Amino acid sequence: MSRAVRVTVRGSFDGLSAEQMAALVADGPAHDFMNTQYTADGYLAYDLPGRPFFTFRFAEEAPDAEGVPEAGLRAQIKAEEWLAAHGYPFKNVTVQVVDMAEVPLGKRGRREASR
């Protein structure tokens, strides 16, 4: 049984040119920082020019608990490849991985599970 994994890749843009900043600011509404969706392709969020930070949110799968760290590495590679392909310099990349099978169920989830 595969496991749903949510991966958050965070970092900072580093030394963007004026043209790169303008392009990112123009695309800003499509990358709302308050949006928290996790997608297979990764959802990029940022709040430029106020903050130089970005967040990618990925929905990954792992075959078992041992595969969860690998899902985080896959997401990090996807994020870094996207940034490199668009020519955006970056630094300080961190990865947070959450195995959804380990997240405790809330009241509604426990009620649904007992049915």
Side-chain angles (χ1 to χ4, degrees):
M1 177 181 194
S2 69
R3 298 169 85 97
V5 180
R6 288 186 174 178
V7 183
T8 305
V9 180
R10 291 185 175 92
S12 299
F13 292 109
D14 185 32
L16 293 171
S17 69
E19 294 82 20
Q20 290 171 322
M21 178 69 82
L24 286 167
V25 169
D27 286 343
H31 301 282
D32 182 15
F33 202 79
M34 298 302 288
N35 191 336
T36 58
Q37 64 180 313
Y38 288 80
T39 67
D41 293 330
Y43 178 80
L44 171 62
Y46 55 83
D47 186 20
L48 291 172
R51 298 177 192 98
F53 309 111
F54 62 82
T55 302
F56 279 90
R57 293 182 177 96
F58 292 93
E60 290 281 336
E61 287 195 13
D64 51 32
E66 289 76 33
V68 170
E70 186 177 302
L73 181 59
R74 281 194 311 269
Q76 179 179 355
I77 291 168
K78 286 182 199 177
E80 290 177 353
E81 285 178 347
W82 188 93
L83 290 162
H86 288 82
Y88 297 132
F90 58 92
K91 64 181 181 180
N92 302 330
V93 173
T94 62
V95 179
Q96 178 185 13
V97 181
V98 176
D99 180 352
M100 298 307 290
E102 300 295 322
V103 174
L105 293 176
K107 185 176 181 180
R108 184 185 320 169
R110 286 191 302 271
R111 186 174 57 239
E112 293 294 322
S114 69
R115 288 185 183 183

